Amino acid sequence: MPNIQIKKAEPADAEILLAYSKKTFYEFFAHLNAGYIKINFNDAQTEYKDKNALEVERIYVSGEHHGKQIGKQLLDFAINTARSKQFAYVWLGVWEHNGKAIGFYKHHGFEPCGSHDFMLGDDKQTDLLMKKML
């Protein structure tokens, strides 16, 4: 068995410890994690800031896990969270040229309700805003 030195981490070690924790988490658990969702409500919302709504700001599923109903489960989580908070609707923005995602959201009851522009580098892009009434 190798002889190792164990020491208490100090505040100055935080950056190194964070990098190491990210590396080891990825090595051991990345294969178990296929996607994530980021939801916002109240003042954390990016557009409407409606206290009666929940925003799905991000929803991503790794390509190798598409078709496994993971996106549906993540979206259901957001909708159920909104219902538990008795919100009136869930809304999101999706790039206007992402037909696959737009179709996914329409299939799950979302309807277009507006748009907004954003910059991607020097390129002006447009998000389609969609909402689902609860």
Side-chain angles (χ1 to χ4, degrees):
M1 177 166 44
N3 187 18
I4 61 170
Q5 179 183 9
I6 300 173
K7 74 172 198 162
K8 179 181 175 186
E10 301 293 334
D13 300 321
E15 192 173 316
I16 293 168
L17 186 58
L18 178 62
Y20 186 73
S21 68
K22 286 179 180 179
K23 176 186 181 300
T24 56
F25 181 88
Y26 182 81
E27 287 174 359
F28 288 98
F29 299 110
H31 68 285
L32 301 173
N33 294 282
Y36 78 96
I37 188 169
K38 181 177 188 286
I39 59 176
N40 301 320
F41 44 89
N42 296 328
D43 291 337
Q45 295 175 82
T46 61
E47 187 83 15
Y48 293 124
K49 299 189 188 300
D50 184 341
K51 295 201 181 303
N52 203 20
L54 180 141
E55 173 192 19
V56 175
E57 184 179 355
R58 301 270 188 273
I59 183 169
Y60 292 111
V61 176
S62 297
E64 68 270 21
H65 295 289
H66 285 190
K68 296 180 181 178
Q69 302 296 307
I70 295 168
K72 179 188 180 316
Q73 291 177 60
L74 292 170
L75 190 58
D76 286 346
F77 172 83
I79 291 167
N80 290 334
T81 299
R83 284 188 173 130
S84 74
K85 294 182 175 297
Q86 299 181 336
F87 290 155
Y89 63 96
V90 175
W91 71 275
L92 54 86
V94 58
W95 185 44
E96 67 179 341
H97 298 295
N98 189 346
K100 186 175 179 180
I102 293 169
F104 171 79
Y105 296 125
K106 283 183 176 179
H107 178 75
H108 292 286
F110 285 78
E111 297 179 359
C113 62
S115 65
H116 72 184
D117 294 332
F118 66 98
M119 297 301 291
L120 185 59
D122 293 331
D123 191 22
K124 184 176 169 185
Q125 303 280 322
T126 302
D127 266 351
L128 178 63
L129 301 178
M130 302 181 79
K131 80 163 63 167
K132 176 184 175 85
M133 299 305 295
L134 301 178

